[in-house]
Amino acid sequence: MSQLDNRLDGLLELRKAKGRFRRLREYDTSRGSGLTDFSSNDYLSLTTSDELRADYLKRLNDTDVILGSTGSRLLSGCTPAHSHLENRLCDHFGAPAALLFNSGWDANVSFFGFVPQPGDWVVFDELVHASVHSGMRGSRVPSARRLQFAHNDPESLAAVLRKIAAQPSSSAAPPTVFLALEALYSMDGDFAPIPTLLDVFDQHVPREQQCVIVDEAHTTGVYGSQGRGIVHQLKEGAGRDDGRVTVRLMTFGKGVGCSGSVLLASDTVRSFLINFARPFIFSTALPVSTVLALESAWDLLSSEGGQRKRDDLAAIVAYFQELLAPVLARTPPELLRLPDPTPTPFPGAPEGLSAHPHSPIHGLLSPTPHALSAFLLARGFIVRPVVPPTVPPGGERVRVCLRAGHSREEIAALVSAVAEWVDSGTAEAEAAKAGRPLRARL
Ligand SMILES: Cc1ncc(COP(=O)(O)O)c(C=O)c1O
């Protein structure tokens, strides 16, 4: 073993000792595998859509375009296909400008790594995605000017903003205060109360100093008219764009069933990213084959068929919650529970959006997520454990993701396996084995 491997091995052993070792696991979820996937972000089941596959293959056959992109967008990789998709998405989302990225990760690292300047402030929900943190860490904004607030908590946001207001301004130009939110959080499966948080922001930061970024990774394609997301739906419901959310990230690896992302922002921000964002400048552009797949996916998402998939998903989520509720009601919360729900995220039920929409993500908090995941896998369900550092200590869980293509039978079978985990005493026995016995029984 080389000296390097030796050193790295030591670090891996430390990680194993903390129970945080990650390894790749291959799952075959194809038809006939006997496994039902409840872990993927393919919320609308587009990756297995026959209609989408047929349209994509036809599109590939009908065009004589190259399959790859051959270079970065600034060199040879800006093909008519890329420009067409970018313009289409700009129109579709009603944005001033749009810029494609190879992933949501790249877009967040680019935006947060390069747009905020040293005198600015970045305020973020404590549960924002790792890509936002990576971007901020690589930025020129000192860590003392990057402040988190408690998850979805308007009071905590107000406290952070008061702290900022109390700081003497160190530069002649007033700083921009960036506010980073996610429309739907990937681990707790709860929606940001965007209107309330924006009102708090308005009370403490003058409009001209605001820059609000909403990451719609888990809502793209899934919510809003023709899959345009939550922010668009809030605007449509209000009947006007109050211009408060100026940057949106829509990603394509989850509900859209492909990969890549588009950042929607002003023309100036777009131009700034093209000039300064290293992940954009120094990376080969999305393959043309992916761009074509995205054209097909957005055709489907904008059609009645797309709306049917969104409706199917909403029905499946409602069914799952209906079956799960009595199981959780009879289970000690130390063994299994859902995170506390956010109070009504969208009060006043804006047109086209419920005041409390259903979420396809359910983080079932459990002291023994690995054992629960293995128990469910033995019964044919892929439900992955999520442990620190992905979630804070104490937030260990299994993450159940529902899809439009799940059948009611699959949902009922999964919930009865969860009920078996609790009712057979396995949950309690595993908790005791892990040194986490029920408090009530100590
Ligand atoms: C909220 C959020 N933002 C960004 C990303 C990154 O997107 P991508 O998978 O396209 O890199 C993810 C992916 O997990 C995410 O959950």
Side-chain angles (χ1 to χ4, degrees):
M1 205 184 246
S2 71
Q3 188 227 17
L4 172 66
D5 280 351
N6 238 328
R7 218 160 6 105
L8 298 184
D9 211 44
L11 295 173
L12 287 171
E13 288 305 322
L14 281 179
R15 184 160 258 236
K16 279 184 195 160
K18 287 186 196 155
R20 293 182 176 187
F21 188 66
R22 302 180 209 256
R23 59 164 59 84
L24 298 178
R25 275 180 208 274
E26 181 186 303
Y27 293 111
D28 178 7
T29 53
S30 56
R31 287 180 193 121
S33 66
L35 289 176
T36 310
D37 168 34
F38 280 101
S39 74
S40 88
N41 299 317
D42 180 19
Y43 304 119
L44 298 176
S45 298
L46 288 202
T47 61
T48 50
S49 159
D50 291 337
E51 190 186 344
L52 178 57
R53 176 187 291 250
D55 190 73
Y56 170 52
L57 292 178
K58 181 168 182 315
R59 212 179 267 275
L60 271 184
N61 265 331
D62 288 353
T63 51
D64 54 3
V65 295
I66 51 172
L67 294 184
S69 66
T70 78
S72 79
R73 287 290 294 286
L74 282 161
L75 296 174
S76 56
C78 190
T79 72
H82 288 83
S83 302
H84 184 272
L85 178 66
E86 220 163 53
N87 291 334
R88 170 187 185 165
L89 293 173
C90 189
D91 283 352
H92 185 71
F93 291 107
L99 187 61
L100 289 172
F101 282 87
N102 291 353
S103 66
W105 178 278
D106 275 2
N108 269 337
V109 167
S110 294
F111 185 87
F112 289 97
F114 295 90
V115 176
Q117 301 299 306
D120 292 336
W121 296 91
V122 187
V123 178
F124 54 96
D125 186 289
E126 64 180 332
L127 295 190
V128 290
H129 192 254
S131 49
V132 173
H133 289 275
S134 279
M136 287 190 299
R137 272 185 219 140
S139 77
R140 294 195 295 141
V141 178
S143 61
R145 298 179 83 87
R146 310 192 306 247
L147 304 176
Q148 69 174 30
F149 64 96
H151 178 52
N152 276 351
D153 184 344
E155 290 299 316
S156 171
L157 173 61
V160 167
L161 296 174
R162 277 195 294 271
K163 198 167 145 187
I164 291 176
Q167 299 287 320
S169 180
S170 50
S171 64
T176 297
V177 184
F178 293 81
L179 176 63
L181 308 173
E182 285 176 24
L184 171 60
Y185 286 87
S186 61
M187 290 299 148
D188 285 11
D190 54 354
F191 294 87
I194 295 175
T196 312
L197 295 175
L198 293 187
D199 287 347
V200 170
F201 202 43
D202 265 346
Q203 282 156 21
H204 295 86
V205 181
R207 276 284 171 97
E208 60 279 10
Q209 283 177 255
Q210 298 182 3
C211 179
V212 179
I213 309 99
V214 178
D215 180 336
E216 297 233 32
H218 294 272
T219 46
T220 308
V222 183
Y223 293 89
S225 63
Q226 302 188 346
R228 291 182 177 100
I230 295 284
V231 172
H232 189 278
Q233 199 59 39
L234 287 170
K235 287 181 193 170
E236 218 169 60
R240 70 194 157 87
D241 179 1
D242 63 15
R244 291 193 289 181
V245 177
T246 50
V247 185
R248 281 174 285 164
L249 171 62
M250 318 304 291
T251 73
F252 307 141
K254 304 177 197 299
V256 183
C258 296
S259 70
S261 73
V262 68
L263 197 88
L264 307 168
S266 69
D267 213 29
T268 304
V269 167
R270 179 178 189 271
S271 179
F272 192 85
L273 289 167
I274 292 171
N275 277 278
F276 291 100
R278 295 168 72 83
F280 178 86
I281 299 168
F282 296 111
S283 186
T284 301
L286 278 177
V288 176
S289 52
T290 302
V291 171
L292 295 181
L294 285 165
E295 292 278 2
S296 295
W298 280 105
D299 278 356
L300 176 57
L301 288 166
S302 312
S303 70
E304 279 179 20
Q307 188 52 45
R308 266 197 304 280
K309 288 194 181 294
R310 284 186 285 278
D311 293 344
D312 287 351
L313 177 63
I316 281 298
V317 172
Y319 186 56
F320 174 75
Q321 292 180 353
E322 181 192 321
L323 295 189
L324 186 67
V327 178
L328 293 183
R330 64 174 186 263
T331 304
E334 299 95 309
L335 286 184
L336 203 65
R337 70 177 176 88
L338 287 168
D340 297 331
T342 317
T344 315
F346 310 119
E351 176 84 28
L353 189 68
S354 136
H356 217 305
H358 285 309
S359 153
I361 305 168
H362 298 80
L364 280 175
L365 296 161
S366 154
T368 54
H370 289 288
L372 174 53
S373 168
F375 181 89
L376 295 173
L377 185 61
R379 282 148 189 80
F381 307 108
I382 303 173
V383 178
R384 300 302 306 276
V386 188
V387 296
T390 306
V391 288
E396 294 84 358
R397 68 198 62 199
V398 295
R399 183 166 171 267
V400 176
C401 292
L402 304 177
R403 288 183 288 119
H406 281 132
S407 66
R408 288 168 82 88
E409 291 72 30
E410 286 168 333
I411 296 294
L414 173 69
V415 176
S416 66
V418 172
E420 186 192 343
W421 162 258
V422 173
D423 297 339
S424 65
T426 315
E428 200 168 342
E430 288 291 344
K433 227 184 340 174
R436 308 273 297 270
L438 290 191
R439 256 181 277 134
R441 315 234 168 132
L442 280 175

